[in-house]
Structure formats: C-alpha cells, structure tokens
C-alpha cells in the first residue's frame, strides 16, 4: 500500500506527483483530520490503518521540523516521489521520503538527504549537498557546490550563488539572494541577504 502521512495542501501536491507516475495513493493518514476525503482519496487516522511497517509512506507535511519529528516516530518504507516532469541527473543521490515536484531540475552529482522537498520549478545545480528535511521552495535556485544543512528552508524565488555553505535550520526569505555563508538557525532576507534574527533550536 502507498500512504501519504498528512492530509495537508502539500499532501495534495505530493498525491499529484505520484499520479504523474501512475502510482496509486491508498489513503492519507492524518491524526487530526479536517476532512474524510481529499482529491478522491480517503483520509484515515493511524489507529484505523494499523501497522504500516511493510507499506510505502511519504510524510506529506511542509513544515520541516514536524516532518522530522514524525519520521522518527513512524516505521515504514519511505518512498521517493519524483514528478515525471522533473529533470534529475542519473548521477544524483536521493534518500527516502524526498519529494521532487514538477519542473524541478537537479543536476550532476548532487546529493539530497531524506524527507526533503524540492518544490515546483526549483533548481539545484551540480555538486550540491542538501541535508535531511531541507525544503527548496518553488522557483528557488541553488547554484553549484552549495552545501545546505539539515532542516533549512529556502523561500520561494530565492537564489544562492555558488560555493556557499548554509547551516542547519536556517530560514531564507522569499526572493533573498545569498552571497555569503549563513550560520545555523539564522533567518535571512533581502538582496544581498542579511540576517534579521536567529531561531531557537525547536522553532
Ligand atoms: C523570511 C520570513 C520567514 C520572515 O517571516 P517573519 O519571521 O514572520 O518575519 P516578519 O514578517 O516579522 O518580517 C521581519 C522583517 O523582515 C522583512 N521581511 C520579511 N520577509 C522578507 C522577505 N522575503 N524579503 C525582504 N524582507 C522581508 C519584513 O518586512 C520585516 O521588516 P521590518 O522589521 O523592517 O518591518 C518570511 O517573510 C518569508 O519570506 N518566508 C518565505 C515563505 C515561502 O517562501 N514559503 C514557501 C512555501 S512553498
């Protein structure tokens, strides 16, 4: 069986990524369901579904911290979902639970961690290393040799120039242009990107 954990808006997009490859979603699992059905697929609670240890699962929740917490609590086979209209080099390494949306481009010898989101039309260039639970938002561009730490969120339309090291659990604002290395937990906005604050570890 294939289950999506989280009947969220992001879950809708993940479902359609799987549709593009003719992979059937059997149910959304959601312990705080706001509806019984989404995009024609039933929404059930984890107690209704029972053991999913041998099933395929993707955690379809956009928040990186919640996705991480859930991934530690769930035992299942975490699938990779790649839209048929994403362009991913054969030399790219991708770990389980990661989702690649329509129009995304991932180029040669990049490595992507587990439970990441490479959103619609995002570009991750050659030789990048993305940690686990990273989210690259729509239309963001990560150029070559960039390193991004665990849990970092790159906002929509942001650009990172080559050879930059971005720490863990960083937030990069929509449209920011990153031209310098960024420390862990920083929140960065603007062009050129400036740090406006630091988040706490569990924020
Ligand atoms: C960066 C961001 C996380 C900051 O959110 P926040 O912590 O709530 O911060 P605030 O809205 O209080 O803004 C703080 C300051 O930064 C400025 N700012 C916020 N976002 C900015 C952005 N993207 N670019 C430039 N300036 C920005 C605000 O104008 C404000 O400036 P001021 O103090 O001079 O008034 C958020 O604005 C953002 O850009 N998120 C990205 C969302 C996104 O791309 N989601 C993708 C979903 S798929």
């Amino acid at each position: 069986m294939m289950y999506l954990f989280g009947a969220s808006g992001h879950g809708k997009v993940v479902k359609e990524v799987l549709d593009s490859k003719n992979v059937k979603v059997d149910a959304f699992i959601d312990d705080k369901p706001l509806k019984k059905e989404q995009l024609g697929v039933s929404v059930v609670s984890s107690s209704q579904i029972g053991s999913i240890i041998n099933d395929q699962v993707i955690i379809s929740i956009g928040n990186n911290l919640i996705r991480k917490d859930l991934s530690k609590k769930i035992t299942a086979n975490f699938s990779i979902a790649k839209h048929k209209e994403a362009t991913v080099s054969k030399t790219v390494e991708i770990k389980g639970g990661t989702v690649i949306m329509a129009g995304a481009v991932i180029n040669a010898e990049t490595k992507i961690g587990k439970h990441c989101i490479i959103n619609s039309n995002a570009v991750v260039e050659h030789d990048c290393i993305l940690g686990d639970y990273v989210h690259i938002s729509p239309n963001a561009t990560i150029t070559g040799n960039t390193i991004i730490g665990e849990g970092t969120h790159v906002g929509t339309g942001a650009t990172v120039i080559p050879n930059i090291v971005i720490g863990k659990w960083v937030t990069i604002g929509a449209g920011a242009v990153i031209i310098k290395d960024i420390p862990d937990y920083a929140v960065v906005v603007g062009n050129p990107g400036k740090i406006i604050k630091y988040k706490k570890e569990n924020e």
Side-chain angles (χ1 to χ4, degrees):
M1 296 290 210
M2 163 61 80
Y3 297 118
L4 297 183
F5 216 106
S8 58
H10 175 61
K12 294 180 190 174
V13 185
V14 177
K15 195 253 176 206
E16 292 194 334
V17 169
L18 292 167
D19 285 350
S20 81
K21 292 279 188 74
N22 297 316
V23 176
K24 180 174 172 276
V25 174
D26 293 288
F28 288 96
I29 303 175
D30 199 311
D31 287 334
K32 289 181 191 156
L34 298 173
K35 47 194 145 184
K36 290 190 171 154
E37 181 240 84
Q38 178 160 278
L39 298 182
V41 175
S42 303
V43 179
V44 297
S45 66
S46 40
S47 57
Q48 277 174 283
I49 213 95
S51 172
I52 53 170
I53 199 164
N54 294 315
D55 294 310
Q56 303 296 314
V57 169
I58 294 173
I59 303 174
S60 50
I61 293 174
N63 181 291
N64 296 346
L65 202 52
I66 297 174
R67 214 165 51 255
K68 178 179 178 178
D69 287 349
L70 268 176
S71 76
K72 304 286 178 201
K73 290 177 186 153
I74 296 170
T75 307
N77 298 311
F78 290 117
S79 308
I80 295 169
K82 188 169 73 174
H83 196 283
K84 76 169 189 199
E85 283 166 19
T87 306
V88 179
S89 159
K90 289 195 173 88
T91 62
V92 166
E93 290 174 22
I94 303 170
K95 292 193 176 151
T98 285
V99 177
I100 299 159
M101 308 296 194
V105 177
I106 309 176
N107 277 337
E109 299 204 321
T110 276
K111 294 181 172 59
I112 313 251
K114 58 187 180 184
H115 302 285
C116 291
I117 303 166
I118 311 299
N119 221 314
S120 312
N121 289 323
V123 175
V124 183
E125 262 299 339
H126 62 91
D127 299 299
C128 293
I129 301 174
L130 274 52
D132 301 335
Y133 316 106
V134 163
H135 178 183
I136 310 298
S137 296
N139 282 312
T141 302
I142 312 299
T143 59
N145 296 301
T146 298
I147 297 175
I148 301 183
E150 177 183 299
T152 284
H153 178 205
V154 178
T156 186
T159 300
V160 181
I161 69 165
N163 305 310
I164 294 289
V165 178
I166 296 172
K168 60 183 180 180
W169 302 99
V170 166
T171 302
I172 295 179
V177 179
I178 304 303
I179 60 167
K180 287 183 185 160
D181 292 355
I182 307 292
D184 297 347
Y185 304 107
V187 178
V188 187
V189 303
N191 176 10
K194 298 257 190 270
I195 297 172
I196 54 167
K197 58 185 168 187
Y198 287 89
K199 295 184 290 185
K200 298 193 183 82
E201 208 162 310
N202 291 318
E203 218 177 310

